[in-house]
Amino acid sequence: QVSVIFDSFDPGNRGKISIEYLPKILRLLNYNIGNTELQDLILVVDKKSLGYFSMKELINLLSHYKFDIDKQY
């Protein structure tokens, strides 16, 4: 599911997508996050502040970051 969603935001198959799509991707994966938490996640997934992230970085984020899925924003 993650790869299908990632690929839908990477139609050119560049292997990276703009950081602006991170909130939408997380929502599609049923992660509800607030603005403060989003800023923290952007720093985690885009450590070099390049403005984009790869599939590997997204998977790393999803596997290592503890999301509070019960919290409503």
Side-chain angles (χ1 to χ4, degrees), residues 36-53:
T36 302
E37 191 175 20
L38 174 61
Q39 295 308 312
D40 293 341
L41 294 176
I42 288 172
L43 294 174
V44 170
V45 78
D46 187 18
K47 291 178 179 150
K48 296 179 183 176
S49 297
L50 299 173
Y52 58 83
F53 60 96

Side-chain angles (χ1 to χ4, degrees), residues 41 44 56-67:
L41 294 176
V44 170
K56 181 179 176 181
E57 290 167 323
L58 178 60
I59 290 173
N60 187 47
L61 174 73
L62 296 174
S63 63
H64 290 98
Y65 191 85
K66 182 178 171 129
F67 289 92

Side-chain angles (χ1 to χ4, degrees), residues 12-30:
N13 257 350
R14 298 178 310 138
K16 58 187 176 184
I17 55 179
S18 174
I19 198 70
E20 72 183 76
Y21 295 118
L22 182 62
K24 187 176 271 189
I25 290 170
L26 292 174
R27 281 193 301 274
L28 288 170
L29 293 169
N30 294 318

Side-chain angles (χ1 to χ4, degrees), residues 1-13 15 17 25 55:
Q1 180 183 14
V2 174
S3 64
V4 171
I5 291 173
F6 184 91
D7 290 345
S8 71
F9 287 91
D10 183 24
N13 257 350
I17 55 179
I25 290 170
M55 175 71 158

